[in-house]
Amino acid sequence: MTKNQFIELVKSEQNSLRGFLLALCCGNRDEADEIAQETLIKAYLSVSSYSDRGRFRSWVFKIAYNTFLNHRSAARTYESLEEGKLLAGPYSADASYVHEELYLALGTLPPKERSAITLHYLTGYSIKEIAAISDSTEDAVKKQLSRGRDKLKNILQK
Amino acid sequence: MTPDKDIHTLFDSAKSEFEDNEVFLQTLIRSLDKVEYIKQMQDRQIRRYRHTVIYALVAGVCAGTFAMVTIGNIPSDFLQSLSENANLLQVPFLEPRTVLNMAVSLFIGASVFWIARNVQEIRQTLGR
């Protein structure tokens, strides 16, 4: 794949990738974009291993998922919405940051649950696809989704 | 509405549109250009190492062949001159033929070391 072909694919997928990472980073756009750039450079460097033609998005999401888990933002989990509001304050002033409650609620979930929930509800991936992206079993994804969903509901209902 | 649908609705409304997609893409293209440059440099370096190894191998084979062919047919006046030089260096205990053998051995040894070092460097470069 040439650089231009790669860029064409990125053009069509960058919105969903950035949206996914923005949710994972709880609305922190700078961090999300930093991870997105790192993801795409990693993808470009390993483009020769991209054999699953036509499934570019899943392949890039898998790299994004692993890059996120290795990033400092994955290590940050809020104990509560209040703590999230306190800690996220300085960078939440982004103009597009209009879904603060949801992002902060996501921030209280452990990274793997946050990823499963985001992949399922934001990008519409099935359990099978999420299992492939996160290199885990379908049962594990079901548990992550169930736990994450319960926590999210409890937090948002408060 | 079920709680699951609630979450779906919440996420649907949270789907972001990015107005700075072009800026993001330009940043990426600049990074990819740098990656391309580094890749080209590395490829060039690997090619250079490969050529060096080939040259070293050819030099080693030529030196070895030359030594095998000529060492038994060295003109006696050449050996005589070597002997005189050896005397000048005050190493009379070394036979001229021994000195020549040592020189050829050193040359071949250095060639082998050179090849080994280059192979090592290539392996390190490829192991990135």
Side-chain angles (χ1 to χ4, degrees):
Chain A
M1 187 188 293
T2 64
K3 191 176 86 179
N4 287 338
Q5 286 171 326
F6 180 80
I7 290 167
E8 283 307 311
L9 285 172
V10 170
K11 270 184 195 168
S12 61
E13 300 299 343
Q14 64 167 318
N15 216 63
S16 54
L17 176 71
R18 292 178 74 191
F20 167 58
L21 287 167
L22 184 65
L24 287 188
C25 293
C26 310
N28 187 331
R29 186 170 276 225
D30 289 342
E31 268 186 10
D33 278 354
E34 189 187 316
I35 299 175
Q37 291 279 345
E38 195 180 327
T39 296
L40 292 168
I41 290 169
K42 279 183 186 169
Y44 183 68
L45 283 171
S46 57
V47 81
S48 56
S49 70
Y50 167 58
S51 53
D52 204 1
R53 304 283 161 193
R55 297 184 65 87
F56 183 75
R57 184 191 277 201
S58 313
W59 181 67
V60 168
F61 270 49
K62 189 171 187 168
I63 299 172
Y65 170 81
N66 288 318
T67 308
F68 164 71
L69 288 185
N70 291 327
H71 200 268
R72 61 182 181 278
S73 54
R76 187 181 51 230
T77 309
Y78 308 133
E79 288 295 318
S80 63
L81 277 188
E82 286 67 35
E83 187 197 320
K85 278 177 189 167
L86 205 69
L87 295 175
Y91 60 74
S92 61
D94 193 294
S96 72
Y97 199 80
V98 290
H99 309 288
E100 192 181 24
E101 291 279 305
L102 174 64
Y103 286 140
L104 291 178
L106 279 172
T108 62
L109 303 180
K112 289 190 175 178
E113 284 176 21
R114 201 188 308 168
S115 306
I117 288 280
T118 309
L119 283 167
H120 187 65
Y121 289 104
L122 189 72
T123 55
Y125 276 118
S126 68
I127 289 169
K128 194 178 171 185
E129 287 167 321
I130 298 170
I133 287 171
S134 58
D135 262 338
S136 41
T137 62
E138 289 183 33
D139 281 342
V141 174
K142 277 179 195 166
K143 278 180 195 162
Q144 285 165 2
L145 277 175
S146 166
R147 274 199 300 258
R149 194 165 30 222
D150 290 343
K151 285 181 194 170
L152 213 54
K153 276 185 286 186
N154 285 336
I155 293 163
L156 292 171
Q157 275 167 6
K158 277 181 188 172
Chain B
M1 190 182 270
T2 65
D4 199 38
K5 274 190 176 172
D6 271 344
I7 297 178
H8 262 301
T9 314
L10 202 57
F11 272 97
D12 279 344
S13 67
K15 278 182 181 164
S16 306
E17 277 301 320
F18 297 89
E19 290 159 6
D20 61 340
N21 270 344
E22 196 50 44
V23 178
F24 178 84
L25 205 61
Q26 288 308 317
T27 311
L28 178 70
I29 290 170
R30 276 198 299 277
S31 301
L32 293 185
D33 286 342
K34 287 177 193 163
V35 168
E36 272 300 306
Y37 176 74
I38 293 169
K39 273 170 78 178
Q40 280 173 9
M41 293 295 286
Q42 283 179 332
D43 287 347
R44 214 173 294 162
Q45 200 176 18
I46 290 168
R47 267 202 303 276
R48 196 164 58 83
Y49 279 142
R50 280 189 181 139
H51 288 154
T52 308
V53 169
I54 292 166
Y55 295 147
L57 187 67
V58 171
V61 169
C62 289
T65 310
F66 177 76
M68 298 277 276
V69 171
T70 58
I71 213 152
N73 307 309
I74 299 168
S76 54
D77 49 344
F78 177 68
L79 288 176
Q80 184 61 35
S81 98
L82 267 183
S83 177
E84 283 164 11
N85 286 334
N87 286 337
L88 279 175
L89 288 168
Q90 296 183 331
V91 280
F93 51 88
L94 288 179
E95 285 291 315
R97 203 174 291 277
T98 312
V99 173
L100 190 67
N101 275 338
M102 281 174 66
V104 171
S105 303
L106 271 172
F107 180 71
I108 293 173
S111 301
V112 170
F113 174 75
W114 191 37
I115 292 169
R117 206 191 64 149
N118 280 302
V119 168
Q120 180 77 8
E121 280 182 25
I122 288 171
R123 286 183 64 184
Q124 278 174 355
T125 315
L126 291 175
R128 69 198 132 107

